[in-house]
Amino acid sequence: GLPATAMPTAPEGLPVGVQLIGPLFEDRTPLHLAELLEQTLGPFHPPQ
């Protein structure tokens, strides 16, 4: 019943995903955190 967002990450070429779970009825919180993580880590590039 909690809002969640899954986002791919690829630290050092490893295929890793992160699931972000927010508080009840705060759907925008995990989406905002995913946006902040993408700004910090850069866009996802699939491993070669």
Side-chain angles (χ1 to χ4, degrees):
L2 298 176
T5 299
M7 65 179 285
T9 60
E12 300 178 14
L14 300 173
V16 177
V18 176
Q19 184 176 19
L20 309 167
I21 301 173
L24 188 62
F25 301 121
E26 292 190 27
D27 296 354
R28 294 183 183 177
T29 302
L31 293 172
H32 181 66
L33 181 55
E35 182 180 20
L36 292 174
L37 281 174
E38 182 180 33
Q39 290 173 5
T40 302
L41 301 174
F44 173 72
H45 298 288
Q48 300 282 331

